[in-house]
Amino acid sequence: MIVVMKAGAAKKDRDEVTKRIKELGYKPHIIHGTTRDVIGAVGDERGKSVLQSIESMQGVESVVPILQPYKLASREVKKEASVVPITDTLAIGGKELIVMAGPCSVENEAQIIDSALAVKAAGAQMLRGGAFKPRTSPYSFQGLEEEGLKLLAKAREMTGLPFVTEVIDPDTVDLVASYADMLQIGARNAQNFALLKKVGQIKKPILLKRGMSMTIQEFLMSAEYIMSEGNQSVILCERGIRTFETATRNTLDISAVPVLKAKTHLPVVIDPSHATGNYHYIAPMSYAAVAAGVDGLIIEVHPDPERASSDGPQSLKPKKFTTLVEKLKLFAEAADRTL
């Protein structure tokens, strides 16, 4: 159920409502709207009718059932699009299109510093790079772990670019959060519910990637796991799904962008690198994503992809990335966005 407060309702009225929701055995989640606040009451569906009594409380406009299984992520709870702040000067979900770029994994200091300098010069607003790498083969490069986080932090210090990096298990969430500006949940962990709950308890934005075989509803339910723990700063990432097609690494579901935009208030970004697995296809898929209404892109860039420890074939060289960003500005303008 959602409790819609009247426009201009006093804070004490809202506090009384949240107190009453707790007394009834539900968990309140306050969502701040442009004109009024909404309080989501989440808990056992079977007894939700008792919440209807809240409608008579001071400052309450209405109590409305949420029809979708994903409650806090739904447009029913918040009709206007959410803007998720990353730093004091950077946010995802507004008019500005956000580009995150960098190597798949941090390999050494020179590589991540060179990458950071290159993507910043091209116009990227965030750095991406993996310190912990979940790999299909146990013999593949698994990442530099905390040393990689330290190198990412050094690149941030040198360039001013905030960075996003993946977290792969609940035990390392606090460690990664102590370094990173945004934490990424990868496709393999999109239904790792213990991990989703853990990142829901921290105060850092979360980039949630769609699982390779996930439906849209399952994707939003994973976001709900994070939000139900108190962290409302979730950004969804479409990174391609597994189909029968083998010409690309995955099949990029461009249609997921307008579908998600209709169903949720959360920002949506696209990862054309993992979706296609081939650097030749990254630029056209990036342009298509902007036309579809995406809020940002996360793109793999490496100064020497031929020698990359992971995902070299899908990494752009800095010069090609610069060309992509320049052309991207034209598509952003056509979509009434800035870059």
Side-chain angles (χ1 to χ4, degrees), residues 311-332:
D311 289 348
Q314 66 191 39
S315 299
L316 291 176
K317 290 184 177 180
K319 188 175 180 180
K320 286 187 179 294
F321 177 66
T322 301
T323 301
L324 184 155
V325 174
E326 285 303 310
K327 288 188 178 180
L328 202 61
K329 291 175 182 177
L330 301 175
F331 286 86

Side-chain angles (χ1 to χ4, degrees), residues 5 10 27 67 75 82 85 102 125 145 149 151 157 168 200 222 226 232 238 282 290-291 315:
M5 302 299 293
K27 193 172 182 180
L67 301 179
R75 283 270 185 188
S82 287
Q125 300 102 315
E145 301 185 345
L149 294 173
L151 293 176
E157 185 180 348
I168 62 174
S222 288
I226 299 170
Q232 308 300 306
E238 163 61 38
I282 292 174
V290 175
S315 299

Side-chain angles (χ1 to χ4, degrees), residues 9-330:
K11 182 181 180 300
K12 64 178 179 135
D13 295 335
R14 190 184 68 200
D15 291 343
E16 284 298 315
V17 170
T18 56
K19 179 182 175 183
R20 182 58 180 152
I21 289 171
K22 290 177 183 176
E23 289 172 351
L24 292 172
Y26 290 80
K27 193 172 182 180
H29 295 270
I30 300 171
I31 296 108
H32 300 289
T34 52
T35 58
R36 69 194 70 217
D37 291 339
V38 168
I39 305 172
V42 180
D44 192 336
E45 292 285 296
R46 292 168 295 181
K48 65 183 181 182
S49 58
V50 299
L51 293 164
Q52 208 68 48
S53 62
I54 293 175
E55 201 161 40
S56 62
M57 293 183 68
Q58 185 73 27
V60 174
E61 183 174 287
S62 61
V63 177
V64 184
I66 306 171
L67 301 179
Q68 298 291 352
Y70 42 90
K71 310 300 183 185
L72 301 173
S74 172
R75 283 270 185 188
E76 293 177 80
V77 167
K78 188 179 180 188
K79 298 200 178 293
E80 64 268 22
S82 287
V83 178
V84 176
I86 308 301
T87 67
D88 292 340
T89 58
L90 183 68
I92 298 178
K95 188 171 182 178
E96 184 181 15
L97 187 70
I98 302 302
V99 178
M100 299 164 263
C104 174
S105 37
V106 181
E107 298 164 1
N108 54 62
E109 182 174 333
Q111 173 247 17
I112 192 60
I113 297 298
D114 288 349
S115 298
L117 291 169
V119 300
K120 181 178 182 180
Q125 300 102 315
M126 284 193 74
L127 175 66
R128 62 144 294 153
F132 291 86
K133 298 298 299 179
R135 305 300 300 278
T136 302
S137 170
Y139 309 113
S140 298
F141 178 60
Q142 305 288 314
L144 297 180
E145 301 185 345
E146 188 171 7
E147 180 59 29
L149 294 173
K150 291 176 180 178
L151 293 176
L152 283 164
K154 186 169 185 177
R156 176 179 56 199
E157 185 180 348
M158 290 184 66
T159 63
L161 290 177
F163 72 86
V164 55
T165 192
E166 186 169 358
V167 60
I168 62 174
D169 64 74
D171 292 340
T172 55
V173 167
D174 292 333
L175 171 66
V176 177
S178 70
Y179 287 94
D181 299 281
M182 180 161 69
L183 277 64
Q184 174 186 308
I185 302 294
R188 292 175 177 83
N189 278 312
Q191 287 184 308
N192 180 340
F193 301 122
L195 179 58
L196 297 177
K197 286 182 177 182
K198 180 65 177 178
V199 298
Q201 295 162 11
I202 64 171
K203 296 186 181 299
K204 284 287 177 79
I206 307 299
L207 180 70
L208 175 64
K209 288 197 167 185
R210 183 181 180 182
M212 59 187 74
S213 300
M214 264 187 170
T215 65
I216 294 289
Q217 180 162 305
E218 289 168 340
F219 189 20
L220 290 171
M221 290 304 293
S222 288
E224 193 75 11
Y225 261 92
I226 299 170
M227 300 175 77
S228 67
E229 291 294 322
N231 188 349
Q232 308 300 306
S233 298
V234 178
I235 297 144
L236 304 173
C237 180
E238 163 61 38
R239 46 78 69 200
I241 53 177
R242 178 170 288 175
T243 69
F244 55 83
E245 184 54 72
T246 58
T248 53
R249 180 175 177 177
N250 296 286
T251 298
L252 181 58
D253 185 6
I254 286 285
S255 67
V257 179
V259 172
L260 287 167
K261 287 288 186 177
K263 291 180 177 293
T264 180
H265 56 89
L266 300 175
V268 181
V269 306
I270 271 191
D271 179 349
S273 304
H274 280 91
T276 64
N278 188 318
Y279 77 90
H280 288 100
Y281 309 141
I282 292 174
M285 290 299 94
S286 297
Y287 306 147
V290 175
V294 82
D295 297 300
L297 295 161
I298 180 165
I299 297 172
E300 291 193 358
V301 179
H302 195 291
D304 190 8
E306 292 85 356
R307 293 181 173 84
S309 297
S310 57
D311 289 348
Q314 66 191 39
S315 299
L316 291 176
K317 290 184 177 180
K319 188 175 180 180
K320 286 187 179 294
F321 177 66
T322 301
T323 301
L324 184 155
V325 174
E326 285 303 310
K327 288 188 178 180
L328 202 61
K329 291 175 182 177
L330 301 175

